[in-house]
Amino acid sequence: MEILSRSDLRAFVLGASVLHDLDFSPVEDGVRLDGVPPLDVTWDELALAVGSAPAGSELGRQRTARWLLGRRWIAERSLDELTERARPIGLPVGHPLHPGEPWAQLHVLGGALDLGLGFVGLMPGRPEHVVVVPEGVLNAYGLESARWWPAALSYLEDMGAMAVVRWRRNPRHPLRPMGDCDVVSLLGSALLRGALAGDQGGMRAIAVPMRSRGWLDLRGIDPAFSLAAASLTDPADRGFSRPLLLTVDEVALVPEGGHPEQVVLRDAAPGSPDLRDVLYR
C-alpha cells in the first residue's frame, strides 16, 4: 500500500474543504475543523480515513470529505440522538461508500454484501438520508458501532418483514426501499431472503443495479440490464453490476463471463415489437 505524505493528506483536506465548504486551519499535528465545538483531526487519523486510496485520487478526496463531515455531524449530536438515529445499512463489497473492514458488522455469506451502521438525518437538508459513518469516526469519540448494532439488526428484520408483505401483495413489482432501508440493505434481512428464495424452490436470481430498486423476474428483462443500469447510476447510488443469487443464507454475484451487452444486438429487428421472437422483451 502506498504511504502518503503529509502534503498528500493536506491536498485531500483542501479538496474536501473546497467541495463541501469545510472551514479548517492547520495545527501542529493535523488540522482543526472550525465550528462548535472545534475539532482537531491528526495526520494519523487522516491517513486512516484515506486508507489505500492513491495520492491525488478522487477516491481519496471523497473518503477524506466523508470522514471530516462525519466527525462534524457526530460531534453535534448527543448520545441519545445517535441512539435514536442509528440504522442498518448494506453495501456491496468494494462499493465507493464502503468504509472498510472495521465498519462491517456482518458479512453476509456469499461474499457480495456487507452490513454495517449508519445514522439517519445527520446530513443537513436531507433528513431521510442514512449516512455511512466509518468506525474510526465513532472511535474518535470513544464510541463503537457494536452498542447500536443489535437494535439496528432488529430494525432491518422488521423492515424485511414489511417488504415481504408488500411483495406478496404485488409480486411483479420491483423491490423498493422500506422505512430507512434501501433495497441493498433489505437484502441483509434473512426473513426477506427466505421468502424470496423459498418462492423459487430455495434460490432466486434478482437484479439490483441501484440501491433504490430491485427486479425479481429476470425473464422479463434483457441480460445486459444490470450492467447497463449500474453503469448509468451515480457511483454512490449504485448497487450490483451483475445479477445476484439469493438463498435464505447467502447473497452471491453470478459468475463473470459472456457478453450480455451483445445479446440484444444479435437479434434481427422485428417487424412488430409485440411479436419479437426472443426470450427477453
Side-chain angles (χ1 to χ4, degrees), residues 145-194:
S145 295
R147 71 182 300 153
W148 294 294
W149 182 245
L153 189 58
S154 177
Y155 177 87
L156 175 61
E157 291 299 339
D158 288 343
M159 294 303 102
M162 294 176 66
V164 170
V165 172
R166 183 169 62 187
W167 164 67
R168 292 198 186 283
R169 189 183 305 127
N170 297 294
R172 296 180 64 85
H173 288 192
L175 290 178
R176 292 179 286 122
M178 178 63 71
D180 294 321
C181 294
D182 60 29
V183 174
V184 173
S185 301
L186 287 173
L187 296 181
S189 165
L191 194 155
L192 177 61
R193 292 197 307 270

Side-chain angles (χ1 to χ4, degrees), residues 41-54:
V41 184
T42 67
W43 296 122
D44 287 344
E45 186 179 339
L46 288 167
L48 180 63
V50 173
S52 60

Side-chain angles (χ1 to χ4, degrees), residues 235-250:
D237 298 322
R238 194 170 293 163
F240 301 91
S241 60
R242 305 201 304 276
L244 299 165
L245 294 177
L246 295 187
T247 70
V248 65
D249 296 315
E250 296 186 47

